[in-house]
Amino acid sequence: MKALSFLTRVWPRLAGATGLVPGLAVGLALAFSAAGHTQALDRITASDAARERLSEAFDALEAAGFTGIVGISQGGETVLMRGAGMADAQTGRPYGPDTQVDIGSVTKSYTGMLAAQLISDGTLSADLRLDEVFDNVPADKAGITLHQMLTHAAGFPGGVGDDLAEEDFDTFLANAFAAPLRFEPGTDYYYSNVGYSLAAAIMERATGQSYEALLRDRLMSVGIDHTGYHTAFDGERAVHLEDGRDVAEASWGGHPPNWNLIGNGGLVSTAPDMLAWRQAWSAGELISPQARDLGQTPFQDEGGGASHYGYGLVVEDDPAFGRVYWHNGGNPHFNAHWRELADHGLILFVAADQRRLNADRVVDVLTAAWFDQPWRIDPRPARSATPVTLPDTPAGQLVADFMATLKGDAAAHQAFIETRFTPDMLAYADMDRHLAMFDQLAADFGGGALLGFNETATQVRFSVFAATMGESIPITFDIAGDDALRVAGLQIG
């Protein structure tokens, strides 16, 4: 599962995390099933009552602090298109249908779509090996196939470089080839940005076009023209941070995206484009029906059998909803989520610029509202006047050390990373990237009050007041070890 976190692109996600945080938003299939919905829900048409339920839910989300854009369609007809908050606070421009947003790892859905078409028409083979495309491929990676990269079965780590750096393709390729594999290719699943960037590079070599040109040519053939990288980017449409930085500055580093992003993250789009894209893809109009079916095949078990990964999308068969396709993504500033409930002809897209009511949670609430199911949104939490006291346990000490480290310097950050991360966590990225993300943690949470704490044998969950966001944010550590616990995974939100 691709649980949203501002660390999504660097540190491991916690297994099974779905973005459903108790007390914030309830509504997705897991909540329905737990409530006894083991039978398929009836198909809902876009009636006045359904539209009214969506509007009421959106009003509640906006009142609770959601900022972003929502688009929902059924059978090609838009049933909700609304924005909340400012896309650019400095100019007073609100979120709306024209707002260009960073869709993060939803980019992989576009890459998977293109790959499925190129495989289906014979331009590429799913069995194409890395050593058939690139020179000097290390022996452990030579036999990795395009199919394995598209289904996160290649064994590559999550990332090998900085999204914001000015790096060329040769640097990215060298880093990818030097990175240790997490397992023998084809034997397991591990979500990786690296494999998708390599897939994009393979498509460039096969077609003679840049990834962006290949994508935009395909999209513009059906009238979708505000989606892409720098050739599609429009600073006057784009969302801006409160400090004035736009997507190009905040997500790409102020220059065209590098290969740590190309093909796996960082595309910009609009809500109408996203709905039109998924509708045309699903209908077999944007790519052939054969390519659509290939890409939407549930190839790779993500773990536990509940969800599978196709080419750039998650495939689930839910007892309440039936067949569901989806993907999400995020970075420190933005997050997005598209979802199609295929048996109901329903497509949802949400983009947000904050983490408490992020795109995952908004999709959950709106899905519940559409089906006239219960949902709840708690109001924005207030800062507690009485911070909690940590228990005298190994987990309590781990959190105490973490909170103290956030107030320290780079040397303190590195010491915590080296002594309190598991070996697998350490191996996930180089030290410079670990330190960069720890700097972000310190900026968000350093000096914040600890407002909640709970521990189990495998996890510790705590909440910290983030002054930069004016709200309490939950943090979850996956933990390993006995007396001296170490962090094996980390999720924010």
Side-chain angles (χ1 to χ4, degrees), residues 149-172:
M149 289 183 281
L150 291 171
T151 57
H152 299 299
F156 281 114
V160 293
D162 188 342
D163 295 351
L164 306 183
E166 291 194 73
E167 293 180 357
D168 59 16
F169 176 73
D170 289 342
T171 299
F172 163 76

Side-chain angles (χ1 to χ4, degrees), residues 87-156:
D88 185 350
Q90 295 193 357
T91 64
R93 175 168 53 88
Y95 272 99
D98 291 339
T99 304
Q100 264 189 342
V101 295
D102 181 348
I103 63 172
S105 283
V106 169
T107 300
K108 293 179 180 67
S109 297
Y110 288 87
T111 303
M113 176 194 72
L114 291 174
Q117 180 61 54
L118 293 173
I119 293 170
S120 182
D121 66 22
T123 302
L124 287 171
S125 167
D127 297 323
L128 183 69
R129 295 160 44 114
L130 278 179
D131 63 359
E132 296 179 281
V133 181
F134 302 109
D135 296 329
N136 303 314
V137 182
D140 64 331
K141 301 176 181 70
I144 290 174
T145 67
L146 178 59
H147 176 83
Q148 289 168 347
M149 289 183 281
L150 291 171
T151 57
H152 299 299
F156 281 114

Side-chain angles (χ1 to χ4, degrees), residues 49-105:
R51 292 171 187 268
E52 181 63 25
R53 290 196 301 270
L54 288 178
S55 293
E56 289 177 356
F58 187 91
D59 289 344
L61 287 161
E62 185 173 22
F66 169 68
T67 49
I69 183 72
V70 167
I72 301 177
S73 67
Q74 186 180 49
E77 177 189 0
T78 299
V79 296
L80 182 70
M81 181 70 65
R82 287 183 61 182
M86 291 293 114
D88 185 350
Q90 295 193 357
T91 64
R93 175 168 53 88
Y95 272 99
D98 291 339
T99 304
Q100 264 189 342
V101 295
D102 181 348
I103 63 172
S105 283

Side-chain angles (χ1 to χ4, degrees), residues 19 21 23-25 61 63-66 335 354-359 361-362 377-381 469-474 493:
V21 177
L24 289 179
L61 287 161
F66 169 68
N335 53 84
Q354 41 112 337
R355 298 194 285 272
R356 186 176 69 88
L357 291 175
N358 62 37
R361 297 180 185 134
V362 174
I377 308 166
D378 285 353
R380 182 188 297 269
M469 291 170 274
E471 56 189 314
S472 176
I473 303 295

Side-chain angles (χ1 to χ4, degrees), residues 131-448:
D131 63 359
E132 296 179 281
V133 181
F134 302 109
D135 296 329
N136 303 314
V137 182
D140 64 331
K141 301 176 181 70
I144 290 174
T145 67
L146 178 59
H147 176 83
Q148 289 168 347
M149 289 183 281
L150 291 171
T151 57
H152 299 299
F156 281 114
V160 293
D162 188 342
D163 295 351
L164 306 183
E166 291 194 73
E167 293 180 357
D168 59 16
F169 176 73
D170 289 342
T171 299
F172 163 76
L173 190 64
N175 290 339
F177 285 172
L181 295 179
R182 298 185 63 88
F183 49 78
E184 181 181 349
T187 64
D188 206 344
Y189 170 89
Y190 192 82
Y191 185 84
S192 173
N193 296 313
V194 179
Y196 265 75
S197 288
L198 288 171
I202 289 171
M203 287 189 282
E204 288 196 348
R205 295 197 175 201
T207 64
Q209 289 185 279
S210 71
Y211 171 84
E212 184 177 18
L214 181 67
L215 174 64
R216 283 181 53 74
D217 283 354
R218 177 73 55 174
L219 295 177
M220 292 178 74
S221 70
V222 294
I224 297 171
D225 58 0
H226 300 302
T227 300
Y229 284 127
H230 60 285
T231 63
F233 177 75
D234 182 346
E236 295 185 357
R237 289 175 174 264
V239 61
H240 287 58
L241 301 178
E242 288 189 359
D243 62 13
R245 285 181 294 161
D246 60 26
V247 170
E249 296 167 309
S251 298
W252 304 343
H255 47 75
N258 66 30
W259 278 92
N260 296 306
L261 276 175
I262 293 172
N264 80 72
L267 283 175
V268 296
S269 188
T270 65
D273 267 17
M274 290 296 301
L275 296 182
W277 158 75
R278 182 55 198 172
Q279 179 66 33
W281 179 9
S282 184
E285 299 168 352
L286 187 56
I287 58 175
S288 71
Q290 294 78 14
R292 174 201 61 201
D293 294 344
L294 172 66
Q296 295 183 167
T297 302
F299 288 116
Q300 180 65 44
D301 187 348
E302 292 195 297
S307 66
H308 291 73
Y309 206 86
Y311 287 172
L313 45 70
V314 180
V315 185
E316 295 178 347
D317 287 308
D318 184 87
F321 296 134
R323 176 57 62 94
V324 180
Y325 302 108
W326 67 276
H327 210 290
N328 64 6
N331 67 17
H333 312 292
F334 311 112
N335 53 84
H337 185 133
W338 74 266
R339 178 173 295 261
E340 180 182 10
L341 281 62
D343 295 347
H344 300 268
L346 190 68
I347 299 171
L348 303 94
F349 173 72
V350 178
D353 61 10
Q354 41 112 337
R355 298 194 285 272
R356 186 176 69 88
L357 291 175
N358 62 37
D360 283 0
R361 297 180 185 134
V362 174
V363 166
D364 295 347
V365 169
L366 294 173
T367 301
W370 177 262
F371 288 100
D372 200 15
Q373 298 296 316
W375 51 267
R376 186 185 76 251
I377 308 166
D378 285 353
R380 182 188 297 269
R383 180 168 184 169
S384 170
T386 309
V388 301
T389 300
L390 288 169
D392 185 17
T393 63
Q397 188 60 54
L398 176 64
V399 172
D401 292 347
F402 171 75
M403 296 299 294
T405 300
L406 292 181
K407 295 186 285 186
D409 57 14
H413 296 173
Q414 182 164 342
F416 183 91
I417 292 165
E418 291 174 341
T419 61
R420 304 309 293 269
F421 279 12
T422 63
D424 282 350
M425 188 78 163
L426 276 170
Y428 197 78
D430 61 32
M431 183 55 68
D432 286 344
R433 191 63 172 137
H434 279 307
L435 288 171
M437 297 310 296
F438 221 97
D439 284 346
Q440 182 66 53
L441 283 170
D444 280 344
F445 301 109

